[in-house]
Amino acid sequence: MESSSAVVSPLSKEKQVHSDIAENTLYSKTDVESTTETDCIEVLQNERDIVTHVISVEDDPSLSPWTFRSFFIGIGLSVFGGILAEIYYFKPQQVLVSIMFLALISYVIGTAMEVIIPRWGWFYYLNPGPFNKKENAFIVIMASAAAIPALGTEVLAAQRLFYNITPNGTASIFLLFSSQLLGYGIGGLMRPILLYPTKMLYPGVLPLVSMFDGFFKDGLSKHYDNKRRMRLFYIAFFAIFIWEIFPEWMFPLLTGFSVICLANPRSPDITRIFGGSNGNEGLGLLSVCFDWQYISSGTNPFTIPLRAQFSNLIGYLLCIVVFAAVYYNNIWESKNFPFLSQELFYENGTVYDQLLILNDKYEVDPTLLAQQGLPYYAGTWVVFLLSSNMGLAATFTHLLLWNRNDLRAAWSWMNKESIRQMLAEFDWRFWRADGKREYPPDKDADPHYLEMLKYPDAPNSWYGVVLGSAFITALVLIYKAESTLPWWGFIIACLLASVSILGFGSLFAMTGLGFVIQPFVQMVGGFLHPGKPMANMYFVLFGYNSVNQALLLLRDLKIAQYTKLPPRAAFTAQIMGTFLGAALNYFMMNSIIDSQRDILLSVQGTNIWSGQQVQQYNFQAIGWGGLSHELFASGKRYQWVAWAYVIGLLAPVPFWVIHRFFPKLRADYLYTPIIIYFIGWLCVGINSSILSYFAVAWVSQWYLRTRYPGWFTKYNYILGAALDGGTQVMIFILSFAVQGAAGKSHLFRQWWGANQNGNYDRCAVVS
């Protein structure tokens, strides 16, 4: 099972669209970091077995998360995570801040403070006793809330880069706050449905919670195991910390070492297929990457189940074949444009100037559009759009065919008694709510939830206040920011988000699979508000980001439930982390745009900075929001992008039929949505890491997991978190020291291993 966030960061390419996939109905204790003392493998039959055997149900009410350590470390790691998340947003390959790393580094700092700070006199308030599991969970929840880049910064960045608009600073910060908290409010009100039931497993957090159990369980043998784990963590952390200086600054050839490019450095075709050390260079076939930042981009390869890896690999191979076929057969005039790009182009291959088709209200003017002509996408980007839409639709069919019983159980809450209880627990007088809850009559209620009933709840009225405040603030700001999104469009976006949270949230909670619904939301917004690209950006901000934020809130609340962190402490941590992260995201976004504007506007960028994410968001808004009828309607140039939803619904059926009649072929082992998603995997970014990515994943999930299950159980996730952590700390330092995050960049001097005048892997530069 995967240890990091199961919801992918907004607008990242599909490399981040996997996640921990529940292995249908049977789970093994070695799927997560078991806290048992033996290395035997015991098959667990259902979710209740998992939450009672793999992680601890016990609670110690005397442990308090309300300590100086919790707030000091939580705020410090929130600052670190918020800044680093926004730096990563402007990288050629978006990387997520590892939640496992946040857990481990907070444990290290917390136990160090426990030892260093005295306990006599007033020092007792700084160090009231041993660092405990609830403090650790409090810190992780606060820091993880801050370490997700706010999608609102993408809107603000697009306005600065492509519309020459610099929004008011105060309005911008409140826009980030409201857009982040809107989903929190909606998700919080759905806790009885998407959080409390045992079926809502959230498999992605199991390794983290199991690790907490291991760290804080008493006993000499456990203490000895923890010392060995932490020794491995320290060694790996500091080794990768030093190593990353080389590929990231001194020896960037290590980002993508291609023997084929070195043998033939003049062929553009070699670059397109085998190059990949620089942004949007090529597909990186057979390149070897030694930069953990890119090997682990999106999802740590130590955490991806073998079944998902196999489907991932099939999708990757198909991606290379399909991309090459589309380009070299000149489908959609592909040869007129760069091989990999997320921008819009004129037919002659120059970058499309969107301002020349917009009037003074930033709406598409038909007369100006006729003068400029319709824009084109790179052919490989069209494949990405097709595969994204097909994959989303295929997910529904796949789950209906293979997980019918799970879906039925997930929606068992839909009865009069459950709805009546939800309404009865709501008290609009939030300042008077005591948070007391009655024990449910259901004897099969989740055992972790039952343990949590002793603590005062963060009542629905609190989340109602968050939702109401965010809704009113956002409604004012869409007019203050001249978004062109009307009030009724904003309300539709909120309703769409609510329905999506309810539907996708239950599937995410059961399977750990994060759904990328951004293209779907953009399509809906485009047909609702034709000719209004800016309105489309804001529609997606509230209709898509709210879903992301709600699922992150529910995931973190599940961590709180599993670790018995009181609900009001979890609420406090999430709100503080969200405010800190959004504010830091805003200031870092402006700093990076001020210092790297020209690079962010270029098609390829560098191997340090790239505007691919904001370019994607902006040009998708132009395509869907401004020109949806002209480009994607039936009979138009890219009509199959919309029809892909219909094709995707049918795609899993043949595999299901084959398995039903020929079960020995094991068609059930293939996860159709993942295969389809990854057909568009390599559309942008640095692709030289793919071979190394699969090598590490297969060593971890096949060799170590099957040959050395004891070692895998104790050390696999620790090692992955250490490598992520050491890398991310060094990236944080280098970004400010030499890479220009807050000023001028300082490239390492030109030499054979640092080709500053071309592609680092020595492939030909394709104009």
Side-chain angles (χ1 to χ4, degrees):
M1 300 284 178
E2 178 185 331
S3 61
S4 60
S5 171
V7 183
V8 300
S9 183
L11 308 174
S12 60
K13 66 190 232 181
E14 296 306 322
K15 184 177 290 186
Q16 297 170 340
V17 187
H18 21 61
S19 219
D20 30 83
I21 310 300
E23 300 285 343
N24 291 334
T25 57
L26 295 182
Y27 302 81
S28 166
K29 281 190 178 180
T30 55
D31 283 344
V32 297
E33 188 176 351
S34 173
T35 58
T36 58
E37 298 295 335
T38 65
D39 292 336
C40 66
I41 298 176
E42 178 183 339
V43 176
L44 306 178
Q45 299 297 329
N46 53 46
E47 291 82 358
R48 192 175 185 86
D49 283 351
I50 294 173
V51 300
T52 55
H53 288 79
V54 171
I55 57 179
S56 173
V57 182
E58 298 174 0
D59 178 37
D60 182 354
S62 66
L63 301 179
S64 173
W66 305 102
T67 65
F68 168 78
R69 284 187 304 236
S70 296
F71 286 93
F72 179 79
I73 302 172
I75 292 172
L77 288 181
S78 295
V79 171
F80 170 79
I83 293 174
L84 187 61
E86 196 65 16
I87 290 173
Y88 275 145
Y89 174 75
F90 290 103
K91 290 288 186 179
Q93 204 82 345
Q94 192 177 10
V95 182
L96 304 179
V97 179
S98 168
I99 192 172
M100 286 288 279
F101 164 67
L102 293 174
L104 280 163
I105 199 66
S106 60
Y107 174 79
V108 171
I109 298 172
T111 51
M113 292 180 70
E114 170 195 329
V115 173
I116 295 171
I117 300 176
R119 295 185 187 176
W120 42 264
W122 64 270
F123 284 109
Y124 175 80
Y125 296 100
L126 304 183
N127 184 13
F131 186 66
N132 65 67
K133 180 164 65 174
K134 295 182 183 181
E135 289 178 284
N136 209 338
F138 181 92
I139 294 165
V140 167
I141 290 173
M142 184 189 295
S144 69
I148 299 295
L151 183 60
T153 60
E154 201 153 20
V155 177
L156 301 173
Q159 288 182 309
R160 285 199 58 185
L161 289 169
F162 300 104
Y163 293 87
N164 298 320
I165 298 173
T166 302
N168 175 272
T170 302
S172 298
I173 290 179
F174 275 98
L175 176 68
L176 297 183
F177 290 162
S178 61
S179 62
Q180 293 292 88
L181 293 175
L182 192 66
Y184 273 13
I186 299 171
L189 293 174
M190 295 184 182
R191 296 183 333 280
I193 305 167
L194 301 177
L195 176 67
Y196 300 151
T198 304
K199 275 286 182 184
M200 302 305 168
L201 182 65
Y202 293 87
V205 307
L206 294 178
L208 174 69
V209 177
S210 182
M211 184 181 73
F212 282 156
D213 289 343
F215 282 165
F216 296 102
K217 188 173 181 179
D218 295 329
L220 292 176
S221 62
K222 186 57 64 177
H223 177 70
Y224 178 66
D225 282 343
N226 284 347
K227 288 183 65 176
R228 292 197 299 175
R229 288 176 179 175
M230 297 313 299
R231 186 183 303 117
L232 175 64
F233 174 81
Y234 292 134
I235 292 172
F237 180 96
F238 287 109
I240 199 71
F241 176 81
I242 300 299
W243 169 256
E244 280 297 314
I245 297 174
F246 296 97
E248 278 297 304
W249 187 49
M250 300 173 64
F251 196 175
L253 177 63
L254 295 172
T255 299
F257 188 87
S258 174
V259 174
I260 296 174
C261 283
L262 293 175
N264 188 350
R266 296 181 179 84
S267 170
D269 292 325
I270 292 292
T271 299
R272 294 184 183 103
I273 304 302
F274 299 99
S277 65
N278 291 62
N280 291 9
E281 178 189 350
L283 302 181
L285 182 63
L286 301 182
S287 289
V288 180
C289 178
F290 298 95
D291 187 344
W292 186 256
Q293 176 188 198
Y294 296 117
I295 296 173
S296 185
S297 64
T299 303
N300 190 310
F302 281 93
T303 66
I304 306 169
L306 194 60
R307 178 185 178 189
Q309 277 297 324
F310 186 71
S311 297
N312 186 339
L313 177 62
I314 294 174
Y316 163 66
L317 296 175
L318 289 174
C319 177
I320 294 174
V321 173
V322 173
F323 275 19
V326 166
Y327 182 81
Y328 287 106
N329 286 290
N330 203 28
I331 300 173
W332 300 302
E333 307 295 331
S334 294
K335 288 188 175 181
N336 291 3
F337 319 116
F339 182 53
L340 302 178
S341 179
Q342 61 282 338
E343 299 200 66
L344 289 170
F345 299 93
Y346 292 101
E347 189 173 4
N348 64 5
T350 57
V351 176
Y352 199 80
D353 190 341
Q354 67 189 53
L355 293 179
L356 297 181
I357 65 171
L358 302 178
N359 58 26
D360 56 355
K361 297 180 180 178
Y362 299 103
E363 299 174 353
V364 173
D365 186 310
T367 303
L368 296 176
L369 178 62
Q371 294 173 0
Q372 296 298 315
L374 287 173
Y376 285 79
Y377 285 112
T380 52
W381 185 257
V382 180
V383 174
F384 161 73
L385 296 177
L386 283 164
S387 66
S388 296
N389 293 349
M390 285 179 63
L392 177 61
T395 301
F396 287 100
T397 306
H398 183 94
L399 290 170
L400 287 171
L401 292 174
W402 300 98
N403 298 82
R404 285 189 302 276
N405 294 333
D406 290 334
L407 292 175
R408 190 180 299 113
W411 286 85
S412 61
W413 59 270
M414 185 64 83
N415 56 71
K416 291 182 180 180
E417 184 61 33
S418 297
I419 296 174
R420 188 182 298 114
Q421 183 179 354
M422 289 170 55
L423 295 175
E425 290 178 354
F426 187 85
D427 183 357
W428 63 271
R429 295 166 297 184
F430 64 92
W431 61 89
R432 295 176 55 182
D434 58 14
K436 292 182 179 179
R437 294 172 288 178
E438 296 181 359
Y439 280 81
D442 182 9
K443 60 183 179 182
D444 294 325
D446 184 80
H448 296 274
Y449 172 67
L450 295 177
E451 287 290 332
M452 292 288 284
L453 294 178
K454 67 172 72 78
Y455 302 110
D457 191 21
N460 284 339
S461 56
W462 289 17
Y463 290 99
V465 169
V466 171
L467 174 59
S469 302
F471 183 90
I472 294 170
T473 303
L475 191 59
V476 171
L477 287 171
I478 60 174
Y479 289 98
K480 179 70 175 177
E482 299 180 352
S483 69
T484 72
L485 179 68
W487 63 268
W488 58 268
F490 169 68
I491 292 175
I492 291 176
C494 293
L495 292 174
L496 179 62
S498 300
V499 173
S500 298
I501 290 166
L502 191 59
F504 294 119
S506 60
L507 301 179
F508 167 62
M510 289 189 305
T511 68
L513 178 63
F515 296 84
V516 178
I517 65 168
Q518 178 203 338
F520 175 73
V521 176
Q522 284 177 318
M523 182 180 71
V524 173
F527 284 105
L528 283 175
H529 309 289
K532 296 183 177 182
M534 184 116 33
N536 190 268
M537 288 197 295
Y538 279 85
F539 186 87
V540 173
L541 173 62
F542 297 113
Y544 168 65
N545 185 60
S546 298
V547 179
N548 239 22
Q549 287 299 110
L551 299 190
L552 290 170
L553 165 111
L554 292 163
R555 179 206 66 183
D556 288 351
L557 288 180
K558 199 67 176 185
I559 295 173
Q561 183 168 301
Y562 284 151
T563 58
K564 315 306 177 296
L565 178 68
R568 296 189 174 190
F571 180 88
T572 302
Q574 287 182 315
I575 296 298
M576 287 185 63
T578 300
F579 277 117
L580 279 170
L584 291 166
N585 287 171
Y586 174 73
F587 291 115
M588 278 307 304
M589 175 206 72
N590 283 322
S591 177
I592 293 171
I593 290 177
D594 289 339
S595 59
Q596 308 295 335
R597 182 182 182 89
D598 292 339
I599 291 175
L600 300 180
L601 288 169
S602 67
V603 174
Q604 187 168 345
T606 68
N607 80 321
I608 297 174
W609 299 110
S610 172
Q612 68 168 16
Q613 301 296 328
V614 67
Q615 287 176 17
Q616 171 188 343
Y617 194 66
N618 171 69
F619 288 116
Q620 286 289 81
I622 293 291
W624 281 112
L627 305 169
S628 55
H629 292 278
E630 292 82 358
L631 292 177
F632 300 107
S634 182
K636 302 301 182 181
R637 183 187 301 148
Y638 301 125
Q639 62 173 327
W640 288 107
V641 172
W643 281 108
Y645 288 108
V646 177
I647 300 171
L649 287 172
L650 302 175
V653 175
F655 296 91
W656 182 78
V657 172
I658 290 171
H659 179 68
R660 178 149 191 171
F661 292 98
F662 306 100
K664 292 184 179 180
L665 294 179
R666 291 306 309 272
D668 61 323
Y669 198 74
L670 300 177
Y671 201 89
T672 317
I674 288 183
I675 295 174
I676 295 173
Y677 270 129
F678 280 88
I679 293 175
W681 189 14
L682 308 178
C683 56
V684 291
I686 289 177
N687 294 322
S688 59
S689 61
I690 309 302
L691 184 62
S692 301
Y693 164 83
F694 279 117
V696 173
W698 282 65
V699 166
S700 168
Q701 294 293 321
W702 180 75
Y703 183 75
L704 292 177
R705 185 171 182 261
T706 60
R707 303 296 179 86
Y708 301 96
W711 194 98
F712 176 90
T713 298
K714 292 178 181 178
Y715 302 115
N716 182 72
Y717 296 104
I718 296 288
L719 178 58
L723 294 175
D724 275 353
T727 297
Q728 290 173 3
V729 173
M730 178 52 72
I731 297 302
F732 183 87
I733 295 171
L734 290 177
S735 295
F736 290 98
V738 297
Q739 293 178 346
K744 185 178 179 180
S745 60
H746 303 279
L747 298 176
F748 199 75
R749 64 179 180 83
Q750 172 78 19
W751 69 287
W752 180 80
N755 183 26
Q756 308 293 3
N757 300 317
N759 293 321
Y760 288 121
D761 55 11
R762 299 282 171 169
C763 278
V765 176
V766 180
S767 59

